[in-house]
Amino acid sequence: MATTPTPTASVSPSPPPRSVFRDPAFLRLWAGTTASGLATWALPFVLGLAVLHRDLGAAGLGLVLAARTAGFLAAVAVGGVLADRHSRRTVVLWSALAAAVAAPLLTVGLGRSLVLMTAAAALAGAGQGACRPAFQALTAETVAPERRQQANAAMTMAVRSSTLAGPALTALLAAFLDVGTLLLGIGGLWLIAALVPGGGGATHRPTPTAGGAGLRPGFRGDFLEGIREARRHPWFLAGLGALVAVIALGYSATSVALPLISRDRYGSGWVLAAAMTAYTLGALGGALVIARLRPRSQGWAAFAGLAAYGVAPLSLMLPVHPLVVVAAYAVAGVGIELFNVPWFTATQREVAPDKLARVSSLDFLVSYGLAPIGLALIAPAIAALGITPVLAVCAAACFLVPAAAAAVPTARHFGRTPSAPGDTSANTTG
């Protein structure tokens, strides 16, 4: 009996994975994600224009934006459960349609009914929140494992580009269109997000209950099952803790302190604008790098990138040249994407496929949910203690908490076992 392998099997190398941008299914998903990102970042800017045109007061703007955030936080957990129970494509469709319906309601309420605008903003936030975990899980269904890091980098580039292009494009259109028309345009972007993406190439089947009858637990049981799945991955819990420290302390501190430093130390608003632009451009550069970079210890490299955000509050503590502040924000932007892309890719690889949306929703819920708390506490802390001590504590947290998270078991490779070079497909949760 022959034991020698065939020549073709022994000498033919595996073909390199083709670019995700040559995959029509991914292109449709990417286009939908980009449209939703543009709509998300354009809405606050358009509502700000409504304040300038006196169609909405400053207090009303705060109420409407708060309602949108509340809608997002309420829906992101629900969206995660629904996306694991049903088709991820269907969840994207209906949640994006809900956000699209909110746009004409905002237009009708503009200058007439703050109650209607508040309700519509909550609906828009709910649509956005339900989309996020469904899009994350749909990416894993659409893209082959060996191309997911490239796909996640492309997705985050779409988000970062939206933060730049959304307000700028809206400002350009505002020269020709009124606020109501711009709001309807945001609804059109949500329609694109709803209708353009296709279904994933893989299917996921919800796990039946222990009774074996195929009955599912209630929403609470499903959500708790997602939490139990997250707890199976120490690297994931450690990453969430590091994210909380960087977002609730570092990001919140710089959001409050940067405008004050720009005004009081440098006497100009250009430092604020330049630093925020540098952060977004740095994030775009980081996404480009990590699309091809495969560190041997991807978890440690990702946590180092996350810790790099500490240079932003550190630069604000010191009487440095304003260009140093701008450079620090660029470094922080690069670092945040050196964390985000491997983090999303590892989650898609390591988490059980039928629980991926719920675990992703937990990620978004913790990250976004604690940010407003940090923002609310930083300003009183600065008033009571001074800006320098607060920035020092926040910078230290940005450096030390990711370092501690990197010491957690399984954190080095964002998984229970390291993947072979170039291999991101091994699922080690089984």
Side-chain angles (χ1 to χ4, degrees), residues 200-258:
T203 58
H204 71 285
R205 291 183 174 88
T207 304
T209 58
L215 299 176
R216 294 203 58 93
F219 169 83
R220 180 175 179 273
D222 265 351
F223 186 71
L224 291 177
E225 190 178 26
I227 294 177
R228 285 192 292 271
E229 172 64 20
R231 291 175 61 187
R232 294 180 59 224
H233 307 280
W235 63 268
F236 184 83
L237 298 181
L240 277 185
L243 277 172
V244 168
V246 172
I247 293 175
L249 293 177
Y251 188 81
S252 297
T254 54
S255 296
V256 174
L258 179 59

Side-chain angles (χ1 to χ4, degrees), residues 140-156:
E141 288 188 9
T142 302
V143 181
E146 65 272 12
R147 293 187 289 148
R148 285 180 189 161
Q149 184 152 325
Q150 185 185 27
N152 286 317
M155 289 295 192
T156 197

Side-chain angles (χ1 to χ4, degrees), residues 5-313:
T6 62
T8 55
S10 60
V11 301
S12 297
S14 300
R18 66 173 183 168
S19 169
V20 289
F21 285 107
R22 297 177 61 185
D23 183 349
F26 174 75
L27 281 177
R28 293 176 63 183
L29 181 62
W30 183 84
T33 304
T34 302
S36 69
L38 284 170
T40 297
W41 289 102
L43 182 58
F45 192 84
V46 172
L47 293 175
L49 292 176
V51 173
L52 292 178
H53 295 168
R54 302 186 184 278
D55 293 321
L56 184 66
L61 174 63
L63 181 62
V64 170
L65 292 178
R68 187 179 74 145
T69 300
F72 177 93
L73 294 175
V76 71
V78 176
V81 171
L82 292 178
D84 280 340
R85 283 187 174 187
H86 307 290
S87 162
R88 276 83 186 252
R89 176 67 188 91
T90 301
V91 174
V92 167
L93 172 66
W94 288 107
S95 55
L97 285 177
V101 168
L105 295 178
L106 284 167
T107 304
V108 171
L110 187 65
R112 300 181 184 90
S113 172
L114 182 58
V115 173
L116 178 59
M117 290 194 71
T118 302
L123 179 61
Q128 176 194 347
C131 268
R132 292 301 295 271
F135 267 130
Q136 182 78 355
L138 194 57
T139 300
E141 288 188 9
T142 302
V143 181
E146 65 272 12
R147 293 187 289 148
R148 285 180 189 161
Q149 184 152 325
Q150 185 185 27
N152 286 317
M155 289 295 192
T156 197
M157 286 174 63
V159 172
R160 297 300 180 183
S161 299
S162 298
T163 65
L164 284 176
L169 181 60
T170 304
L172 177 63
L173 293 175
F176 307 98
L177 304 173
D178 60 26
V179 173
T181 304
L182 291 174
L183 288 172
L184 293 177
I186 290 174
L189 288 171
W190 278 114
L191 283 177
I192 293 173
L195 301 176
V196 168
T203 58
H204 71 285
R205 291 183 174 88
T207 304
T209 58
L215 299 176
R216 294 203 58 93
F219 169 83
R220 180 175 179 273
D222 265 351
F223 186 71
L224 291 177
E225 190 178 26
I227 294 177
R228 285 192 292 271
E229 172 64 20
R231 291 175 61 187
R232 294 180 59 224
H233 307 280
W235 63 268
F236 184 83
L237 298 181
L240 277 185
L243 277 172
V244 168
V246 172
I247 293 175
L249 293 177
Y251 188 81
S252 297
T254 54
S255 296
V256 174
L258 179 59
L260 299 176
I261 296 293
S262 182
R263 180 195 66 191
D264 298 339
R265 182 185 298 166
Y266 301 110
S268 172
W270 79 266
V271 177
L272 169 63
M276 296 310 298
T277 302
Y279 177 80
T280 303
L281 292 175
L284 284 170
L288 284 171
V289 170
I290 201 61
R292 296 186 176 275
L293 185 67
R294 299 293 189 274
R296 292 183 63 87
S297 301
Q298 63 169 333
W300 285 359
F303 281 124
L306 185 62
Y309 193 88
V311 301

